[in-house]
Amino acid sequence: MYLILLGAPGAGKGTQAVTLTRELGLVQISSGDLFREAQKKGAELGLLAKSYMEKGALVPDEITIKMILERLAAPDCARGCILDGFPRTLEQARGLEQALAKQKKSIDKVLYIKVSTEELIKRLSGRWICRNCQTPYHVVNNPPKVAGKCDACGGELYQRADDTVETARKRLDVYFAQTAPLIDYYRKAGKLVEVNGDRGIEEVARESLAALSQ
Ligand code: AP5
Ligand code: MG
């Protein structure tokens, strides 16, 4: 199964991926996580992506599509995967479709997590993520069991540089201009499954699993 998680910055794509990977037995591929890992390693890709990410802009399609298609070729994706944060433009959606079609594969479903804009800013400005495995937490909504430490791996938690209110607003503008058109694109293709992401983490997880099993 190839599943796409679609939603604005802060909608809960990374958060829901924790439950979905476990319940569906698929790996999560997050374009944002891959860029941050490349930065941590000091790789050329990371340095290139950094200049766009710190401004809240999208990394150019050519670079992003290449990175994702290389990752999709790994053996752990042979049965499918959960794509988090990719595609984010129509160009990326088409690039993905063409690559899958060459292997006689296609996207099965697109889970659209819909959240109101005021809620998105609160979520992003209160988020902490694990430096090691990138699991997201929230100071109020989803705190770790031990302050400053990841429940999953014990890694140190930090705040992303692009989670300031100013850069988060820029990311939301970019989302509405460049990514939101994908909602209609996948709805027309009959692949869109929509959930109300304004509710609590567990409720959203339950609704997502129920919607995907239909
Ligand atoms: P990326 O890392 O993908 O960031 P994003 O899309 O902006 O999404 P976020 O990770 O901010 O939000 P999320 O939906 O995962 O929310 P989360 O679960 O963490 O991308 C970063 C940058 O990389 C981009 O700006 C761009 O520069 C570049 N990039 C990445 N992909 C690209 C692409 N395809 N093309 C080009 N450039 C690309 O949750 C947020 C917070 O809310 C957490 O604190 C969480 O605990 C809390 N929370 C989650 N769900 C709930 C809930 N139901 N109730 C209460 N709190 C909740
Ligand atoms: Mg995320």
PDB file of all heavy atoms in Angstrom, residues 50-65:
ATOM      1  N   LYS A  50      18.855  23.525   3.518  1.00  0.00           N
ATOM      2  CA  LYS A  50      18.806  24.416   4.687  1.00  0.00           C
ATOM      3  C   LYS A  50      18.378  25.838   4.313  1.00  0.00           C
ATOM      4  O   LYS A  50      17.533  26.441   4.973  1.00  0.00           O
ATOM      5  CB  LYS A  50      20.190  24.439   5.355  1.00  0.00           C
ATOM      6  CG  LYS A  50      20.200  25.114   6.698  1.00  0.00           C
ATOM      7  CD  LYS A  50      21.526  24.874   7.405  1.00  0.00           C
ATOM      8  CE  LYS A  50      21.476  25.505   8.785  1.00  0.00           C
ATOM      9  NZ  LYS A  50      22.385  26.600   8.974  1.00  0.00           N
ATOM     10  N   SER A  51      18.939  26.354   3.201  1.00  0.00           N
ATOM     11  CA  SER A  51      18.659  27.738   2.841  1.00  0.00           C
ATOM     12  C   SER A  51      17.167  27.947   2.534  1.00  0.00           C
ATOM     13  O   SER A  51      16.618  29.020   2.767  1.00  0.00           O
ATOM     14  CB  SER A  51      19.520  28.153   1.643  1.00  0.00           C
ATOM     15  OG  SER A  51      19.249  27.305   0.557  1.00  0.00           O
ATOM     16  N   TYR A  52      16.497  26.927   2.011  1.00  0.00           N
ATOM     17  CA  TYR A  52      15.058  27.035   1.733  1.00  0.00           C
ATOM     18  C   TYR A  52      14.259  26.824   3.014  1.00  0.00           C
ATOM     19  O   TYR A  52      13.313  27.553   3.295  1.00  0.00           O
ATOM     20  CB  TYR A  52      14.636  25.991   0.692  1.00  0.00           C
ATOM     21  CG  TYR A  52      15.318  26.172  -0.644  1.00  0.00           C
ATOM     22  CD1 TYR A  52      16.469  25.461  -0.974  1.00  0.00           C
ATOM     23  CD2 TYR A  52      14.807  27.086  -1.570  1.00  0.00           C
ATOM     24  CE1 TYR A  52      17.102  25.650  -2.189  1.00  0.00           C
ATOM     25  CE2 TYR A  52      15.427  27.273  -2.790  1.00  0.00           C
ATOM     26  CZ  TYR A  52      16.582  26.554  -3.098  1.00  0.00           C
ATOM     27  OH  TYR A  52      17.190  26.751  -4.302  1.00  0.00           O
ATOM     28  N   MET A  53      14.649  25.817   3.777  1.00  0.00           N
ATOM     29  CA  MET A  53      13.879  25.455   4.980  1.00  0.00           C
ATOM     30  C   MET A  53      13.869  26.587   5.995  1.00  0.00           C
ATOM     31  O   MET A  53      12.864  26.847   6.632  1.00  0.00           O
ATOM     32  CB  MET A  53      14.443  24.170   5.594  1.00  0.00           C
ATOM     33  CG  MET A  53      14.173  22.966   4.726  1.00  0.00           C
ATOM     34  SD  MET A  53      15.040  21.498   5.261  1.00  0.00           S
ATOM     35  CE  MET A  53      13.972  20.896   6.545  1.00  0.00           C
ATOM     36  N   GLU A  54      15.005  27.262   6.176  1.00  0.00           N
ATOM     37  CA  GLU A  54      15.016  28.312   7.204  1.00  0.00           C
ATOM     38  C   GLU A  54      14.158  29.514   6.812  1.00  0.00           C
ATOM     39  O   GLU A  54      13.705  30.246   7.663  1.00  0.00           O
ATOM     40  CB  GLU A  54      16.433  28.680   7.657  1.00  0.00           C
ATOM     41  CG  GLU A  54      17.358  29.144   6.589  1.00  0.00           C
ATOM     42  CD  GLU A  54      18.830  29.187   7.038  1.00  0.00           C
ATOM     43  OE1 GLU A  54      19.186  28.583   8.067  1.00  0.00           O
ATOM     44  OE2 GLU A  54      19.617  29.832   6.338  1.00  0.00           O
ATOM     45  N   LYS A  55      13.868  29.643   5.521  1.00  0.00           N
ATOM     46  CA  LYS A  55      12.987  30.727   5.073  1.00  0.00           C
ATOM     47  C   LYS A  55      11.518  30.277   5.046  1.00  0.00           C
ATOM     48  O   LYS A  55      10.629  31.060   4.766  1.00  0.00           O
ATOM     49  CB  LYS A  55      13.362  31.143   3.641  1.00  0.00           C
ATOM     50  CG  LYS A  55      14.625  32.004   3.583  1.00  0.00           C
ATOM     51  CD  LYS A  55      14.853  32.518   2.163  1.00  0.00           C
ATOM     52  CE  LYS A  55      15.393  31.406   1.309  1.00  0.00           C
ATOM     53  NZ  LYS A  55      16.034  31.644   0.099  1.00  0.00           N
ATOM     54  N   GLY A  56      11.288  28.977   5.235  1.00  0.00           N
ATOM     55  CA  GLY A  56       9.921  28.454   5.159  1.00  0.00           C
ATOM     56  C   GLY A  56       9.478  28.200   3.728  1.00  0.00           C
ATOM     57  O   GLY A  56       8.298  28.009   3.455  1.00  0.00           O
ATOM     58  N   ALA A  57      10.443  28.201   2.801  1.00  0.00           N
ATOM     59  CA  ALA A  57      10.116  27.956   1.381  1.00  0.00           C
ATOM     60  C   ALA A  57      10.282  26.472   1.058  1.00  0.00           C
ATOM     61  O   ALA A  57      10.905  25.735   1.819  1.00  0.00           O
ATOM     62  CB  ALA A  57      11.063  28.782   0.507  1.00  0.00           C
ATOM     63  N   LEU A  58       9.747  26.055  -0.097  1.00  0.00           N
ATOM     64  CA  LEU A  58       9.919  24.663  -0.506  1.00  0.00           C
ATOM     65  C   LEU A  58      11.283  24.471  -1.166  1.00  0.00           C
ATOM     66  O   LEU A  58      11.760  25.348  -1.888  1.00  0.00           O
ATOM     67  CB  LEU A  58       8.833  24.249  -1.507  1.00  0.00           C
ATOM     68  CG  LEU A  58       7.388  24.195  -0.996  1.00  0.00           C
ATOM     69  CD1 LEU A  58       6.475  23.678  -2.106  1.00  0.00           C
ATOM     70  CD2 LEU A  58       7.263  23.304   0.235  1.00  0.00           C
ATOM     71  N   VAL A  59      11.877  23.332  -0.940  1.00  0.00           N
ATOM     72  CA  VAL A  59      13.112  22.941  -1.631  1.00  0.00           C
ATOM     73  C   VAL A  59      12.694  22.663  -3.090  1.00  0.00           C
ATOM     74  O   VAL A  59      11.600  22.122  -3.323  1.00  0.00           O
ATOM     75  CB  VAL A  59      13.714  21.677  -0.959  1.00  0.00           C
ATOM     76  CG1 VAL A  59      14.967  21.214  -1.678  1.00  0.00           C
ATOM     77  CG2 VAL A  59      13.997  21.943   0.528  1.00  0.00           C
ATOM     78  N   PRO A  60      13.507  23.042  -4.106  1.00  0.00           N
ATOM     79  CA  PRO A  60      13.083  22.849  -5.504  1.00  0.00           C
ATOM     80  C   PRO A  60      12.652  21.400  -5.810  1.00  0.00           C
ATOM     81  O   PRO A  60      13.224  20.441  -5.274  1.00  0.00           O
ATOM     82  CB  PRO A  60      14.332  23.237  -6.308  1.00  0.00           C
ATOM     83  CG  PRO A  60      15.051  24.206  -5.418  1.00  0.00           C
ATOM     84  CD  PRO A  60      14.800  23.729  -4.008  1.00  0.00           C
ATOM     85  N   ASP A  61      11.642  21.284  -6.673  1.00  0.00           N
ATOM     86  CA  ASP A  61      11.052  19.982  -7.001  1.00  0.00           C
ATOM     87  C   ASP A  61      12.079  18.954  -7.456  1.00  0.00           C
ATOM     88  O   ASP A  61      12.045  17.796  -7.033  1.00  0.00           O
ATOM     89  CB  ASP A  61      10.016  20.150  -8.122  1.00  0.00           C
ATOM     90  CG  ASP A  61       8.733  20.781  -7.609  1.00  0.00           C
ATOM     91  OD1 ASP A  61       8.437  20.660  -6.406  1.00  0.00           O
ATOM     92  OD2 ASP A  61       8.020  21.402  -8.417  1.00  0.00           O
ATOM     93  N   GLU A  62      12.991  19.396  -8.323  1.00  0.00           N
ATOM     94  CA  GLU A  62      13.952  18.450  -8.911  1.00  0.00           C
ATOM     95  C   GLU A  62      14.753  17.726  -7.816  1.00  0.00           C
ATOM     96  O   GLU A  62      14.922  16.501  -7.846  1.00  0.00           O
ATOM     97  CB  GLU A  62      14.888  19.253  -9.821  1.00  0.00           C
ATOM     98  CG  GLU A  62      15.613  18.436 -10.833  1.00  0.00           C
ATOM     99  CD  GLU A  62      16.723  19.254 -11.497  1.00  0.00           C
ATOM    100  OE1 GLU A  62      16.668  20.501 -11.420  1.00  0.00           O
ATOM    101  OE2 GLU A  62      17.621  18.646 -12.068  1.00  0.00           O
ATOM    102  N   ILE A  63      15.212  18.502  -6.832  1.00  0.00           N
ATOM    103  CA  ILE A  63      16.027  17.950  -5.735  1.00  0.00           C
ATOM    104  C   ILE A  63      15.169  17.032  -4.863  1.00  0.00           C
ATOM    105  O   ILE A  63      15.576  15.916  -4.504  1.00  0.00           O
ATOM    106  CB  ILE A  63      16.568  19.114  -4.855  1.00  0.00           C
ATOM    107  CG1 ILE A  63      17.472  20.030  -5.675  1.00  0.00           C
ATOM    108  CG2 ILE A  63      17.273  18.581  -3.604  1.00  0.00           C
ATOM    109  CD1 ILE A  63      17.830  21.339  -4.976  1.00  0.00           C
ATOM    110  N   THR A  64      13.959  17.483  -4.565  1.00  0.00           N
ATOM    111  CA  THR A  64      13.081  16.731  -3.658  1.00  0.00           C
ATOM    112  C   THR A  64      12.621  15.415  -4.290  1.00  0.00           C
ATOM    113  O   THR A  64      12.649  14.364  -3.654  1.00  0.00           O
ATOM    114  CB  THR A  64      11.861  17.605  -3.277  1.00  0.00           C
ATOM    115  OG1 THR A  64      12.336  18.865  -2.822  1.00  0.00           O
ATOM    116  CG2 THR A  64      11.041  16.959  -2.191  1.00  0.00           C
ATOM    117  N   ILE A  65      12.224  15.479  -5.563  1.00  0.00           N
ATOM    118  CA  ILE A  65      11.738  14.265  -6.240  1.00  0.00           C
ATOM    119  C   ILE A  65      12.861  13.219  -6.303  1.00  0.00           C
ATOM    120  O   ILE A  65      12.657  12.045  -5.990  1.00  0.00           O
ATOM    121  CB  ILE A  65      11.210  14.592  -7.670  1.00  0.00           C
ATOM    122  CG1 ILE A  65       9.965  15.491  -7.577  1.00  0.00           C
ATOM    123  CG2 ILE A  65      10.881  13.325  -8.435  1.00  0.00           C
ATOM    124  CD1 ILE A  65       9.502  16.076  -8.907  1.00  0.00           C
TER     125      ILE A  65
END
